Amino acid sequence: QKNTCLNYMTLRPELEATLIYCLLSTITILSVVLNLLVIISIYHFRQLQTCTNLLLLSLAVADFLVSSVQMPFQIFHYRGCWFLGDLACVVYYYSAFLVVSASVGNMVLISIDRYVAICDPLFYTTKITIRRVKGCIGLCWLFSTVHASWILREMLRQPDMYNTCIGECVLVVNYAEGIVDIIATFVAPFTVITVLYLKVFAVAVFQARAMRSHVGSLALPRSGTMAKKSELKAAKTLGVLVTVFILFSCPYYVFSVAVESSQIGASSGDIELWLVYFNSCVNPIIYTFSYPWFRKSIKRILTLQILQPNSRDSNIL
């Protein structure tokens, strides 16, 4: 018979616990609201349904799942004892692997989109189409679902197999699975993202210098065209998005590699994990400061103008 986890709970001073709960709850609510605004904006206004924005929509869905599922579960898990049952424990870990993998996949797709837009602008409209973007987004979420199902295949069959006491929610990942997970969701995608954005940055700098010196036509690439100013601005904004994502994610992956134990529990890497989750709140804040269309759409949503007839076809750009 298993013992209760109450004997092993981490007790913190009441004031400290209250302040932490308030802070994490505020971040959670803010993240839910902001990502919901992004989803409604891009989904509602047809003018915003471009290839790049569809990728941002997919990323916002992943961020919304983080803020509406992972963050509340993590707050509940904060004290170290799990009272929601084995099924909720499986949902907690499954959602974690799903949304992290989907977020990384969306970042790779965003990097590819910007690479083609800046480095091969002549063929951007033929290579990057709405249909292809939707297909890639579907494959990204399919891969994330398969990946999460494979990692948790044993836990899905027996949810409490790793628990040593009643009220515990623990996942044990063996060495081989851990290596595959790190390569699939960190090493490989982050290498692709870094290489693509280094090339984007190099080309963007070259084109900016060419435009400033008014001799761009003498030193253009073989494609014979240069990226539009709006594309360069979008690349800069999305570059900030990707950079922030990498900065917020790296500590957790470094922690995962460095830790010798393969057991992932409530007390393991809490700060690093919350950095990954906090990135879901930062993304829409970046949109707010970078995209005028997002600020306009927020105003129309909050003032309920989206309920008016034909509001989907409004000029929002």
Side-chain angles (χ1 to χ4, degrees), residues 267-292:
S267 61
S268 302
D270 274 348
I271 296 177
E272 292 84 356
L273 189 58
W274 268 102
L275 275 177
V276 177
Y277 293 164
F278 184 61
N279 180 246
S280 298
C281 182
V282 173
N283 286 341
I285 294 176
I286 294 175
Y287 306 153
T288 302
F289 285 101
S290 303
Y291 294 127

Side-chain angles (χ1 to χ4, degrees), residues 76 93 111 114 166 186 208 211 241 289:
F76 194 90
Y93 281 114
S111 300
R114 288 301 88 197
I166 297 173
F186 178 65
M211 285 187 288
L241 190 76
F289 285 101

Side-chain angles (χ1 to χ4, degrees), residues 3-12 21 73-85 165-169 266-267:
N3 297 322
T4 176
C5 77
L6 291 173
N7 298 326
Y8 310 103
M9 283 182 64
T10 303
L11 298 179
R12 293 179 172 87
Y21 278 129
F73 274 157
Q74 191 65 22
I75 292 173
F76 194 90
H77 210 179
Y78 173 70
R79 295 298 292 272
C81 210
W82 185 266
F83 296 108
L84 299 179
C165 62
I166 297 173
E168 193 173 33
C169 179
S267 61

Side-chain angles (χ1 to χ4, degrees), residues 62 65-66 69-71 73-74 88-104 141 144 147-149 151-152 171 181 185 252-253 264 273 276-277:
L65 290 176
V66 169
V69 178
Q70 291 308 114
M71 287 184 178
F73 274 157
Q74 191 65 22
C89 181
V90 173
V91 173
Y92 167 66
Y93 281 114
Y94 190 92
S95 176
F97 280 98
L98 174 66
V99 296
V100 168
S101 179
S103 296
V104 173
W141 282 94
S144 301
H147 176 72
S149 300
I151 292 289
L152 299 176
L171 169 65
D181 180 55
T185 63
Y252 176 74
Y253 283 104
I264 303 174
L273 189 58
V276 177
Y277 293 164

Side-chain angles (χ1 to χ4, degrees), residues 209-220:
R209 289 176 177 174
M211 285 187 288
R212 281 198 301 267
S213 60
H214 302 288
V215 294
S217 59
L218 301 178
L220 287 175

